[in-house]
């Protein structure tokens, strides 16, 4: 069960209201790399995890992420407090209130629609979605995804820290950013505590292809590094000359019964294209300036932008000669 502690995990001291900054901070409230996404990601993974160590860690971190959601949401609420009160009590003149709501970004939507409370949206007002959670139920996949998610959250916090000069907000965001570093370390350790964690899953890769680097982009800029060169790699530079890699005919085939074969052949016959005819089309019927060449006639195809504007001018029909 969950209990609620009335004290935050980290103290929130906001110097003054700032609706535009509140709107930007929503990125870490209801955005893809935000705290709700993190909490739901680890909570759902933890519920189905059978390994007792990983289960405990996932539920610990999920619960901490909910506490971070509370911290970032409280910052947003404090930043909107002045405008929220002014809006509810209509204490400013219409013009002043308009200016306060329209402080920038998405802040007017946060104020008008959500009343200044932290909304479950990202900084552009896009509603939070469970599609942000990409768990697959395999710990070697999900821990890698969690490591990537923590690194993204760290970077977004870093960017948010760089756009505010409020020392209290910088301090709290610095704490949240730092906890993502700690979480990444826990997930890294948990991943490498699983023997044979690479490749993911139980089936081994095909040995002919696990060490193969396929150099499909050649010419100027071709580069080598430890990712494609050295003892670990077999390089394939003659890509076209070695297709298909399996030595087959490189075609796609399927086994069909006689009925399916007859149906497929009938459809092929009905939809067959005839390259020997040059049929009239509706494009020729309605062709005007700029239509290009149709049926051997030149309908004023433009070869350059200058020609195109000249054609556009010629086609102007208003008596004044303007649009
Ligand atoms: Mn967090
Ligand atoms: Mn985290």
């Amino acid at each position: 069960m969950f209990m609620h502690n009335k004290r935050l995990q980290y103290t929130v001291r906001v110097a003054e209201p700032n609706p535009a900054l509140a709107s930007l901070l929503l990125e870490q409230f209801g955005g893809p790399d935000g705290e709700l996404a993190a909490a739901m990601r680890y909570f759902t993974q933890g519920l189905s995890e059978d390994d007792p160590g990983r289960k405990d860690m996932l539920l610990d971190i999920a619960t901490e992420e909910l506490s971070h959601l509370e911290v970032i949401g409280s910052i947003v609420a404090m930043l909107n407090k002045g405008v929220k009160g002014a809006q509810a009590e209509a204490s400013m003149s219409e013009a002043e209130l308009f200016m306060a709501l329209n402080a920038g970004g998405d802040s007017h939507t946060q104020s008008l629609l959500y009343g200044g409370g932290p909304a479950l949206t990202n900084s552009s007002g896009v509603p939070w979605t469970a599609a942000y959670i990409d768990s697959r139920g395999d710990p070697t996949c999900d821990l890698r995804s969690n490591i990537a998610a923590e690194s993204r959250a760290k970077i977004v916090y870093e960017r948010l820290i760089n756009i505010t000069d409020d020392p209290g907000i910088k301090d709290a965001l610095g704490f949240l950013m730092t906890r993502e570093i700690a979480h990444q370390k826990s997930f890294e350790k948990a991943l490498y505590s699983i023997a044979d964690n690479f490749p993911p899953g139980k089936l081994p890769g095909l040995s002919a292809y696990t060490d193969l680097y396929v150099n499909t982009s050649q010419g100027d800029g071709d580069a080598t590094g430890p990712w494609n060169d050295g003892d670990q790699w077999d390089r394939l530079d003659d890509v076209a000359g070695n297709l298909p890699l399996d030595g087959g005919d490189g075609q796609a085939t399927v086994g069909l019964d006689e009925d399916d074969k007859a149906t497929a052949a009938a459809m092929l016959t009905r939809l067959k294209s005839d390259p020997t005819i040059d049929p009239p089309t509706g494009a020729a019927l309605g062709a005007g300036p700029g239509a290009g060449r149709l049926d051997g006639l030149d309908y004023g195809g433009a070869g350059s932008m200058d020609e195109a504007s000249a054609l556009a001018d010629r086609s102007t029909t208003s008596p004044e000669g303007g649009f």
Side-chain angles (χ1 to χ4, degrees):
M1 64 168 293
F2 285 91
M3 301 274 288
H4 184 256
N5 191 307
K6 293 191 193 312
R7 281 175 297 174
L8 297 169
Q9 194 190 13
Y10 200 83
T11 307
V12 167
R13 289 191 197 85
V14 174
E16 58 183 2
N18 183 340
L21 181 61
S23 151
L24 291 172
L25 291 184
L26 285 178
E27 195 59 42
Q28 287 303 78
F29 191 72
D33 302 327
E35 301 294 355
L36 181 65
M40 293 303 104
R41 165 188 287 269
Y42 311 141
F43 181 61
T44 50
Q45 288 176 17
L47 289 186
S48 68
E49 179 58 74
D50 293 316
D51 180 84
R54 280 197 300 274
K55 187 182 190 75
D56 180 49
M57 174 194 67
L58 286 162
L59 291 174
D60 279 339
I61 298 181
T63 308
E64 184 177 356
E65 304 292 24
L66 278 178
S67 309
H68 294 174
L69 186 72
E70 188 178 27
V71 171
I72 192 84
S74 298
I75 299 175
V76 169
M78 296 303 111
L79 285 169
N80 278 333
K81 200 147 232 179
V83 170
K84 181 182 176 179
Q87 189 179 228
E89 302 302 321
S91 64
M92 295 176 174
S93 75
E94 286 87 345
E96 284 172 333
L97 192 51
F98 180 83
M99 293 296 285
L101 293 190
N102 241 327
D106 214 33
S107 55
H108 55 290
T109 312
Q110 309 309 327
S111 299
L112 287 176
L113 184 58
Y114 303 115
L120 283 175
T121 68
N122 78 351
S123 57
S124 301
V126 178
W128 188 85
T129 164
Y132 293 153
I133 314 301
D134 55 8
S135 308
R136 293 295 178 265
D138 177 280
T140 66
C141 287
D142 291 347
L143 286 167
R144 286 188 167 89
S145 182
N146 298 353
I147 289 164
E150 292 294 337
S151 68
R152 292 194 300 266
K154 195 273 181 187
I155 289 297
V156 175
Y157 272 124
E158 188 170 320
R159 290 174 183 167
L160 289 172
I161 288 167
N162 289 341
I163 58 168
T164 176
D165 57 3
D166 182 322
I169 296 179
K170 262 192 196 304
D171 182 45
L173 294 182
F175 167 76
L176 295 174
M177 179 191 77
T178 305
R179 294 304 299 152
E180 315 306 12
I181 299 170
H183 294 162
Q184 179 168 346
K185 283 166 51 172
S186 289
F187 290 136
E188 298 258 9
K189 289 290 185 191
L191 172 62
Y192 293 99
S193 302
I194 302 171
D196 298 339
N197 64 70
F198 180 81
K202 188 175 175 187
L203 291 177
L206 304 175
S207 60
Y209 307 123
T210 40
D211 304 321
L212 184 66
Y213 185 82
V214 183
N215 189 15
T216 52
S217 172
Q218 299 191 21
D220 271 357
D222 226 19
T224 56
W227 53 85
N228 64 5
D229 200 38
D231 291 345
Q232 182 174 322
W233 295 108
D234 302 322
R235 286 178 60 91
L236 181 63
D237 290 303
D238 180 13
V239 179
N242 284 283
L243 281 178
L245 292 177
D246 62 290
D249 64 8
Q251 300 303 309
T253 56
V254 59
L256 293 179
D257 66 24
E258 291 309 318
D259 282 354
D260 283 348
K261 267 187 204 162
T263 306
M267 189 184 76
L268 189 64
T269 305
R270 184 171 64 82
L271 296 176
K272 188 174 166 54
S273 67
D274 184 351
T276 65
I277 61 169
D278 184 8
T281 69
L285 196 62
R293 281 201 306 273
L294 293 162
D295 297 337
L297 295 172
D298 190 344
Y299 288 91
S304 67
M305 283 315 290
D306 283 351
E307 262 183 77
S309 347
L311 281 166
D313 287 346
R314 276 213 305 279
S315 68
T316 302
T317 54
S318 82
E320 292 81 21
F323 288 98

